[in-house]
Structure formats: structure tokens, C-alpha cells
Amino acid sequence: MSGTALINNLIPTADVVKRAARIGAEIRNIKLSGELPHQTIAAINSVLLEHKVIFFRDQGHLDDAGQERFALRLGKLMPPMGPVTNGTTSVRKVDSTGAFYRADAWHTDLAFFDAYPKITMLRGVVIPAFGGDTVWSNTAAAYLDLPPQLQHLADELWAVHSNAFDSAVIARISEADKKYWDEVMTRTIYETEHPVVRVLPETGERALVLGNYVQHFVGIEKYDGQRLFDLFQSHVTAPENTVRWNWKEGDVAIWDNRATQHYGVNDYGEQRRVACRVTIEGEVPVSVHGQCSVTRVKATRQSPENVA
Ligand SMILES: [Fe+2]
């Protein structure tokens, strides 16, 4: 039975409304909470696997702790990099007025870890009057878009993902963001080799693992590697594989971070935008040949106060 049918069986008033052909569905008339019955959680998970990102409007009753209690029903929570909000262990506030790099590049959350998150949940708290949409892409659909010869090539490739950003990115962010990036995001440098194609355990689908944490392809010279990256990534960012969400306060978006990339559109100027994020633990990716991702380097820099 599909997730949509499951939800309709459990909650006759609930509605699953597709938002684009290949990705994205809105689930209407469900009040999210940590107390939802097990079958409803199973149905939500099933709709998520099918549509890759699901949206819920009108969840203004959730506070940070309520969001965390609901997230706990979807899996084990990952402690975020950086501070958490009061009264929670895993909710991170993403505030455009604070020191935080705006996520205006296509990425998969925390893909520089081997077991990067399976699920990310974002709750809209302060939404600008215009702009600030998020766009998601279905990376399994992007793989299916490739002709068989390029699928075979992708199946064999591995890429190194790292949180060590290149100087071009660092050059265009604010001083406050640089400080944050330096002190929180890159205090420890991770380098992980992922297969360019991972197999999703529940469905057997193949999904591309790329995005802006990619540094280079294993065994391929940078110049050739950049062209290969652009070729595969262009299928990820093809508009037909994406869905765009215009946020309202109280919205919740939940995505399968293993089968998607997303992009926060930086078109809201100096307006404030606040969202609260929780991530759910994932499993180590497995290639089409059954090989697992490997973290190659984990180097921790000394904090400035410890430097002699
Ligand atoms: Fe993100």
C-alpha cells in the first residue's frame, strides 16, 4: 500500500497533494506531534520515501521542544555542529541575522560525514515578506535521467567530500560568517570518500551523491573532474527534477537527505529569516558494488585560545 493510501486509511481527512511530478508532496490536515500513533508515523515515512520532500502547513503549535519530540519519532537525532536552542539537545536555530552562511549553493546536509543525516526537518519561524524559498532536487530522478553509459560511469566513480570550503566561497561571505565558519564549521576538517551513486536500503533506488561539499573525484585530475562534476550535477539541478517551496510561518519541511540536494534562495535582502533545524542519523552509504563510504581524514585544528 502506498504512503498516500496508508495516510488516508488512518486519517480520512488527510490529503497528500503532489507539488511537482518528480519530487515533493504536501500533507494536509495532520497536526504534527510526538504523540502521533505509530501507524501515522510509518505512513509519513512512507510518503517521504516516495516523494523525497514533504511539507506541512499550519504547524504553529510546535515550539522547539515539540519539534524535537516529533523528530524523535522519525529516528535518532544528530547533535548539530554549533549551539542548540534552549531546552533541546538537537534543535539548531538558523538565523539570517546571526553569523551563519546562507545556504545558497546546492548541497546535501553534512555530506562530509560518512553517515550523514538520513532526514532533515526544518520549521519556519520567522519568514521574510518576500523571497527566501528553498528548492529541492530529487537525486534519484537525476540518476534515472542519465543515459545508461553515463549511469555506468557514475556507478564506478567516487568523490571526496569535505567541509573545508574553498577560498572562492570564503571570499564572498561576511566577516561574522567567516568567524562562525572558522570556529564551528571547520574546527574539525572531515574528508569522506563517497560513491557517486549510492543505493537506498529501503527501495533499492540509486541516487547521485554530489553537491557543493565535493572537492574532487578519486583518481581523476581536477580539470577533468570538474567537467564530470558539472555534467552529473546539471542533471541534479535540472528544473524538472526540483520542487520550490514558498515558506509561511509554522511550515514544516522534511526531506530525505540521502536522495536530495537543496538550495536556499538568497533573494530576501536584509530581512530576517529564522528556521529551526533537526537532523536524523543516517547510515553509511553503500555503492552499487556493496562498498561503503570511508572517512579518510579527520583533522582537528587547535582552537585560537590553545595556540601557544
Ligand atoms: Fe542545508
Side-chain angles (χ1 to χ4, degrees):
M1 192 184 280
S2 76
T4 303
L6 273 174
I7 287 223
N8 286 140
N9 267 4
L10 293 164
I11 309 171
T13 53
D15 235 349
V16 177
V17 180
K18 278 173 77 73
R19 298 297 301 233
R22 294 181 182 174
I23 177 172
E26 182 184 344
I27 305 183
R28 295 181 179 161
N29 303 318
I30 285 191
K31 187 176 178 185
L32 299 179
S33 82
E35 287 74 49
L36 283 173
H38 169 72
Q39 301 94 314
T40 307
I41 297 292
I44 289 172
N45 268 317
S46 174
V47 177
L48 177 61
L49 276 179
E50 186 179 339
H51 296 283
K52 313 298 190 231
V53 54
I54 51 179
F55 307 103
F56 303 82
R57 296 267 194 216
D58 305 320
Q59 305 297 321
H61 58 280
L62 288 176
D63 57 9
D64 298 352
Q67 179 182 2
E68 185 167 80
R69 280 197 299 277
F70 170 65
L72 265 170
R73 302 292 308 284
L74 301 178
K76 196 166 172 222
L77 308 185
M78 279 181 81
M81 298 173 87
V84 296
T85 62
N86 278 344
T88 74
T89 61
S90 311
V91 177
R92 175 151 159 255
K93 190 193 268 189
V94 183
D95 187 336
S96 63
T97 60
F100 186 74
Y101 173 64
R102 296 186 185 207
D104 54 345
W106 282 101
H107 66 285
T108 291
D109 286 333
L110 305 172
F112 44 85
F113 291 131
D114 47 6
Y116 61 85
K118 172 185 181 184
I119 292 171
T120 302
M121 179 193 306
L122 204 59
R123 176 171 59 95
V125 179
V126 178
I127 303 301
F130 59 82
D133 291 0
T134 305
V135 189
W136 286 264
S137 165
N138 180 343
T139 55
Y143 178 84
L144 288 177
D145 262 355
L146 298 170
Q149 294 88 339
L150 288 180
Q151 288 181 345
H152 294 320
L153 173 60
D155 288 345
E156 303 305 321
L157 291 172
W158 286 66
V160 174
H161 298 239
S162 178
N163 57 331
F165 260 73
D166 62 38
S167 50
V169 173
I170 294 296
R172 69 185 177 88
I173 65 179
S174 72
E175 281 306 313
D177 286 351
K178 265 182 211 161
K179 192 163 178 283
Y180 175 83
W181 208 258
D182 233 33
E183 291 179 1
V184 178
M185 287 301 285
T186 59
R187 170 65 57 87
T188 300
I189 302 293
Y190 299 92
E191 282 198 357
T192 298
E193 285 183 14
H194 288 302
V196 168
V197 179
R198 70 177 292 181
V199 181
L200 298 180
E202 299 90 347
T203 61
E205 284 176 290
R206 296 181 176 195
L208 293 174
V209 184
L210 292 170
N212 77 328
Y213 293 116
V214 170
Q215 299 248 314
H216 60 88
F217 287 110
V218 176
I220 294 181
E221 188 269 325
K222 191 177 174 187
Y223 185 83
D224 290 335
Q226 185 62 50
R227 275 148 187 78
L228 279 176
F229 176 87
D230 292 343
L231 170 64
F232 292 124
Q233 185 69 18
S234 72
H235 289 270
V236 173
T237 59
E240 291 76 12
N241 291 329
T242 69
V243 65
R244 181 169 177 143
W245 187 251
N246 181 238
W247 290 90
K248 291 183 169 46
E249 278 182 22
D251 285 358
V252 169
I254 301 173
W255 60 94
D256 186 335
N257 192 51
R258 308 164 307 171
T260 54
Q261 285 182 30
H262 56 283
Y263 184 107
V265 184
N266 187 3
D267 62 350
Y268 51 100
E270 298 307 310
Q271 297 176 93
R272 190 164 186 221
R273 182 180 187 277
V274 180
C276 281
R277 188 176 98 163
V278 184
T279 52
I280 312 285
E281 270 190 13
E283 61 285 305
V284 176
V286 178
S287 77
V288 302
H289 302 301
Q291 292 164 298
C292 295
S293 300
V294 185
T295 296
R296 297 190 318 165
V297 177
K298 215 186 251 186
T300 303
R301 285 184 291 122
Q302 282 186 299
S303 58
E305 60 271 21
N306 291 336
V307 174

